[in-house]
Each structure stands twice: as structure tokens, then as C-alpha cells.
Amino acid sequence: MCWSATADLVAGAGITCVGVACVTRVHRIGDLPLAALPVLLGVHQLVEARVWQVGGGTGWATVVWAVIALPLLAVWAPLAVLSAVPRDAAARLAIPLVSGLATAGVLAYAVATRPVRAEIRGHTVGYVMGLPYAGVLIAGYLLATVGALLLSGDHWLVALGVLAGVGAVVCWVLWRLEFVSTWCAFAAACSVVVFGWVAARRPRTRSRVRPTPGRV
């Protein structure tokens, strides 16, 4: 997520504040799950700060991190997009939603039955869980999260999907090299896009037209 406990704390606090601002500006109840996404991402960063502080291991912070990152986000993203888009766009989100539910189910079972261990590797944190069929699960996860955004039909959400997809690839490469973990920067950028989406969804106030006084 981030390259140190301090970076996670700062990024987590900032992203959470953006999320709170998004939630307080929502005017449609169906937009609330997606508007609250930065809050979830911010809390995720704060949890990982605790993972850094305790030196990794298998404690509660590691488990909470895995629950948010794996099953929760896999189902949250497609459901949030489905809740926000018009009804005529819901049909094309069926595949990402089914993928998210199936992937979340497998990941939830894995988190519940397998030990999750965090390892500090230089400026990165590695999470070891031994997932079965990891390639299939990653594909299902990306289809559910990034795919739902790309199929939303909303230009703000499509941009968010592109940003999340590019961010996932870049962060994965840097993490594999054990160079530095940069997802916190992409999470912050994604949160700003969500804020823009919420602002664009606000109803426009109509200016009152004053009647022209008649001639005497």
C-alpha cells in the first residue's frame, strides 16, 4: 500500500477526509456506497500503518487488511457501481457483479480458513496467504472492480476504472521488484476522482427568472 507506517498514516488520514467530504455531499442515496469508497480506502491505509508498526506477522491488523483488500472490495465495487448507475445500464453490469460475488466468496473462505501473514520487505509489505488458483482469482477480482467501473457508462467512473487499472499494473510491478509500494498515491488519486464524480452528481440549482415589468 505505502512505503512506511508514516506514509500510510498520512495518506490514510487524507483519503479518509476526502471520503467524508464525498459522503456529506451525496444527494442521492444510491450514490452513497460509491461515495464512501474513499473512506474504505483510507481506513485500509490506516490499518496497514498498524501492520508496519508491529513488524508484520499474523495479528488482527493483517487479517483486517486482508478482509478489506480481498473479499470486501471485490463485492463492494460492483455493487456500488450498480447502485449508482441508471436502471438501463444495470444489465451490462451483471457479469462484473457475478464475478465479484463468486470471487469474494472464495476469498472470504480462504481468509477464514488459511493463515494470513504480513512480511516487511524493505519499503513494501508482502501478504502471504497461499490462495488456490491465484491467476483465476486475480482475473475475477479485476473484472469485478475495474470492469464494473469501465462498463458503468459514466465518464467519471470510466476514468476511475482506467486509473485503477493502470495503478494496479504499476503498483504490482514495483511491488514485485520490492522497490517501493505506491498504491497509496493511486488510492489518493482515485479518491479525488470520486470527489469529482460526487460533485458532478449534485443537482443544479435553477436560477429564478424575474418577470419583466410591463409598460405603463
Side-chain angles (χ1 to χ4, degrees):
M1 294 288 286
C2 257
W3 53 89
S4 69
T6 301
D8 262 321
L9 281 172
V10 173
I15 294 170
T16 301
C17 289
V18 174
V20 171
C22 290
V23 170
T24 57
R25 284 165 171 76
V26 165
H27 285 264
R28 179 179 171 273
I29 192 66
D31 294 345
L32 189 57
L34 197 52
L37 181 60
V39 176
L40 184 63
L41 296 178
V43 170
H44 200 208
Q45 305 263 195
L46 296 174
V47 169
E48 190 177 69
R50 178 60 181 172
V51 174
W52 277 103
Q53 290 171 350
V54 299
T58 58
W60 67 266
T62 300
V63 176
V64 172
W65 186 95
V67 169
I68 296 175
L70 300 176
L72 185 54
L73 276 174
V75 72
W76 186 298
L79 284 174
V81 174
L82 182 63
S83 176
V85 300
R87 290 186 179 181
D88 57 358
R92 61 176 176 262
L93 293 173
I95 293 178
L97 179 59
V98 171
S99 178
L101 291 172
T103 303
V106 175
L107 292 174
Y109 178 79
V111 172
T113 59
R114 295 170 180 262
V116 185
R117 185 176 73 259
E119 298 176 350
I120 306 298
R121 303 170 183 172
H123 293 289
T124 67
V125 181
Y127 294 88
V128 182
M129 201 165 120
L131 290 173
Y133 309 105
V136 176
L137 289 174
I138 292 173
Y141 188 96
L142 292 176
L143 176 58
T145 52
V146 177
L149 293 167
L150 294 178
L151 292 173
S152 66
D154 183 291
H155 70 277
W156 279 99
L157 300 185
V158 171
L160 180 59
V162 172
L163 181 61
V166 172
V169 173
V170 172
C171 293
W172 178 79
V173 171
L174 293 176
W175 178 81
R176 289 287 294 178
L177 294 174
E178 297 185 3
F179 173 62
V180 67
S181 188
T182 54
W183 177 246
C184 56
F186 280 99
C190 288
S191 299
V192 171
V193 175
V194 173
F195 183 85
W197 172 77
V198 171
R201 302 275 283 185
R202 297 187 70 179
R204 297 178 181 178
T205 57
R206 296 181 179 179
S207 58
R208 293 184 177 179
V209 179
R210 294 183 179 180
T212 304
R215 295 181 180 178
V216 180

